[in-house]
Amino acid sequence: MPSLQALFLHNNLLYGQISPFHCNSLQYIDFSHNRLYGQIPPSVFKLEQLRALMLSSNDKLTGNISSVICELKFLEILDLSNNGFSGFIPQCLGNFSDGLLVLHLGANNLHGNIPSIYSEENSLRYLNFNGNQLKGVIPPSIINCVNLEFLDLGNNMIDDTFPSFLETLPQLEVVVLRSNKLHGSLKGPTVKDSFSKLQIFDLSNNSLSGPLPTEYFNNFKAMMSVDEDMDYMRTNNLSTSYVYSVTLAWKGLEIEFSQFQIALTTLDLSCNKFTGKIPESLGKLKSLIQLNLSHNSLICYIQPSLGNLTNLESLDLTSNLIAGRIPPQLVDLTFLQVLNLSYNQLEGPIPQGKQFNTFENGSYEGNLGLCGFPLQAKCNKGEGKQQPPSNFKKEDSMFEEGFGWKAVAMGYGCGFVFGVSIGYVVFRARKPAWFLKMVEDSAHQNAKRLRRKNAPRNGGRRY
């Protein structure tokens, strides 16, 4: 079939090796989701007109990815994910073609470094190396991928700080850097409207520290408006459509979404070393479906503003140092399916009604001060009346504004000076008469009381 241009055999049960190709006119190959095994035949790399090579999810395709693949100058889509490919990623993949839109090598056995050079003219929109054994740092030249919408480098061994240069990429909607060795703090934006289109932000299972990036949250404009677009995230303006896939921890389970809707909005900063308070600005991210801040060292109280996240389906704050009461505003989260507040320092009555009537003990365990349904601990009379959580904020601000360490130091200093001055005046006057008279009168009265107390009653004996 010398005139064949497209061969789509995906989503079948085809078994065996890939046969050599001799159709020089072939532009699209899709053998994904089958049971193929062996290596990619060298003849594939001689198909000069090839625009899309999709061999994902065959499980048993093996061998190295040859650098010869970089000779396919018209390639737009390369998806070899979910296979058994090993060795190094060819470094030329970052800059061999200005027309490459999709590069998906996730879920293989690749090691070494991420390709370090990305040309300034590249058109890359989807870059996914998730689930390999890649080391080193995240290359700063990714800043040249100005059309990048999706970046997933999760589940590798990348040892780096947070790549703040990503904030300059105006089209970025998905950033997944979970389960690496990232460290240091998130210093906040340096450019205007950074991450304004972000829908998924996953930095979980790293060693990031410092306060939560409040300044970034204020820039997450796309998360502030509810997007009712139920379409799947995909590349546009292609002769063949390519639907994006992503791997996320979803409601407690790690799941690979072979396709996901644009409206799937997620913020996951769990399993790090973040400290400080939960920012009130999180309440602005009204399109959030999942919020996970668990396994950090967050303090203070649960922000009542989280009650504004009316689309939220999963809220996980477990294993922090959060104190105070559960704000009653959370009862209004009518889509909430998963709630985990366990192992904190929460106290008081558990709010009742709506979704809160469906949660079990596991949502609250490890908080010895909590009471009420579904726990066995009953609340004391009057304790069931919820106090507005805003009191926490009021008390915090009063302490910060009126009773901070500066005020205490000033009071202590004034009292010390006043006491020393009075003592000096008294003793400089060499025991003034009024002072001696006051002391002597007091001693005389005490002696009289003592004699009356010890006097014998009703003829009793005195000892």
Side-chain angles (χ1 to χ4, degrees):
M1 303 175 69
S3 300
L4 187 66
Q5 292 186 355
L7 183 55
F8 297 115
L9 300 175
H10 56 283
N11 291 300
N12 282 289
L13 300 173
L14 298 176
Y15 180 81
Q17 297 188 7
I18 301 175
S19 302
F21 290 93
H22 301 289
C23 311
N24 290 331
S25 59
L26 202 58
Q27 296 181 23
Y28 303 98
I29 298 175
D30 189 352
F31 292 169
S32 57
H33 296 278
N34 279 287
R35 298 180 178 178
L36 304 175
Y37 62 86
Q39 299 185 4
I40 302 174
S43 58
V44 171
F45 305 129
K46 296 178 181 178
L47 302 174
E48 296 179 355
Q49 304 301 316
L50 196 63
R51 293 181 179 273
L53 178 60
M54 293 176 279
L55 304 176
S56 65
S57 299
N58 278 285
D59 296 329
K60 295 183 179 179
L61 286 178
T62 57
N64 297 336
I65 301 174
S66 173
S67 59
V68 182
I69 200 170
C70 294
E71 296 179 5
L72 301 175
K73 300 299 183 182
F74 294 101
L75 201 62
E76 295 176 348
I77 300 174
L78 178 60
D79 187 349
L80 307 179
S81 62
N82 288 285
N83 282 294
F85 292 110
S86 56
F88 298 96
I89 299 176
Q91 290 293 307
C92 59
L93 282 179
N95 63 346
F96 78 100
S97 169
D98 293 338
L100 188 67
L101 299 170
V102 173
L103 179 56
H104 191 354
L105 303 180
N108 280 288
N109 296 316
L110 301 169
H111 57 270
N113 295 327
I114 298 171
S116 59
I117 300 176
Y118 296 86
S119 62
E120 294 184 4
E121 303 296 327
N122 79 80
S123 304
L124 207 57
R125 298 181 189 173
Y126 179 94
L127 180 60
N128 192 336
F129 294 149
N130 186 299
N132 284 285
Q133 301 168 36
L134 302 177
K135 298 182 179 180
V137 300
I138 300 171
S141 64
I142 289 180
I143 199 174
N144 294 327
C145 306
V146 293
N147 297 304
L148 196 65
E149 299 171 339
F150 184 107
L151 176 65
D152 188 349
L153 304 178
N155 294 288
N156 280 287
M157 295 182 282
I158 298 170
D159 191 349
D160 199 359
T161 57
F162 176 73
S164 56
F165 54 81
L166 295 179
E167 67 187 34
T168 63
L169 301 178
Q171 305 301 324
L172 207 53
E173 297 182 37
V174 176
V175 174
V176 179
L177 303 176
R178 68 190 314 268
S179 298
N180 278 288
K181 298 180 180 179
L182 299 182
H183 51 86
S185 60
L186 278 65
K187 299 179 180 178
T190 57
V191 297
K192 186 180 179 181
D193 295 329
S194 58
F195 296 130
S196 61
K197 290 190 175 183
L198 212 57
Q199 298 276 11
I200 296 176
F201 193 49
D202 187 352
L203 304 181
S204 60
N205 289 284
N206 282 287
S207 296
L208 296 166
S209 57
L212 293 174
T214 306
E215 294 82 3
Y216 278 141
F217 298 156
N218 289 326
N219 284 347
F220 290 174
K221 305 300 183 185
M223 294 188 187
M224 294 180 185
S225 57
V226 178
D227 192 341
E228 298 181 356
D229 190 350
M230 293 294 106
D231 192 15
Y232 294 110
M233 194 172 181
R234 67 181 75 218
T235 51
N236 298 316
N237 303 323
L238 274 179
S239 48
T240 180
S241 177
Y242 181 86
V243 179
Y244 295 169
S245 63
V246 67
T247 300
L248 293 173
W250 185 252
K251 298 179 182 179
L253 299 173
E254 185 168 315
I255 298 176
E256 181 189 4
F257 293 87
S258 56
Q259 53 187 13
F260 62 97
Q261 293 171 334
I262 294 172
L264 182 72
T265 310
T266 300
L267 177 59
D268 192 345
L269 303 178
S270 62
C271 299
N272 279 286
K273 299 177 181 178
F274 288 115
T275 56
K277 301 179 182 180
I278 298 175
E280 186 179 4
S281 57
L282 280 177
K284 299 177 182 178
L285 310 182
K286 296 182 179 180
S287 69
L288 273 181
I289 293 179
Q290 176 170 261
L291 174 61
N292 192 344
L293 303 176
S294 64
H295 295 91
N296 282 289
S297 297
L298 302 177
I299 59 171
C300 285
Y301 54 93
I302 300 174
Q303 287 284 356
S305 64
L306 296 187
N308 298 329
L309 306 179
T310 51
N311 272 0
L312 204 62
E313 296 179 14
S314 178
L315 174 62
D316 193 346
L317 303 177
T318 187
S319 296
N320 279 287
L321 302 171
I322 302 170
R325 297 191 173 194
I326 301 173
Q329 288 87 340
L330 299 188
V331 174
D332 295 328
L333 303 179
T334 53
F335 289 115
L336 199 61
Q337 298 175 8
V338 176
L339 175 68
N340 196 343
L341 305 178
S342 60
Y343 298 103
N344 280 287
Q345 299 171 9
L346 297 171
E347 59 185 11
I350 296 172
Q352 303 299 314
K354 300 180 182 178
Q355 292 299 98
F356 270 74
N357 291 345
T358 68
F359 301 132
E360 299 180 353
N361 290 18
S363 296
Y364 310 107
E365 65 181 341
N367 293 281
L368 301 180
L370 286 178
C371 61
F373 180 83
L375 302 179
Q376 292 184 350
K378 304 299 180 183
C379 297
N380 296 327
K381 222 172 187 181
E383 194 176 11
K385 294 182 179 179
Q386 291 285 333
Q387 298 295 327
S390 57
N391 288 348
F392 288 114
K393 186 174 181 179
K394 186 177 179 181
E395 289 170 5
D396 283 352
S397 61
M398 284 175 62
F399 181 81
E400 289 171 2
E401 294 174 10
F403 296 99
W405 66 269
K406 291 183 179 179
V408 173
M410 289 171 63
Y412 180 83
C414 292
F416 178 78
V417 172
F418 181 76
V420 169
S421 301
I422 292 298
Y424 175 78
V425 170
V426 169
F427 290 100
R428 182 70 176 171
R430 296 186 179 181
K431 301 179 182 178
W434 63 268
F435 183 74
L436 288 174
K437 187 174 185 305
M438 181 179 67
V439 173
E440 288 171 354
D441 289 348
S442 177
H444 181 66
Q445 289 175 4
N446 287 337
K448 288 176 70 176
R449 284 196 206 101
L450 189 60
R451 281 196 299 271
R452 283 197 213 101
K453 186 176 179 181
N454 293 331
R457 296 182 183 177
N458 301 326
R461 295 179 62 182
R462 181 182 297 175
Y463 292 92

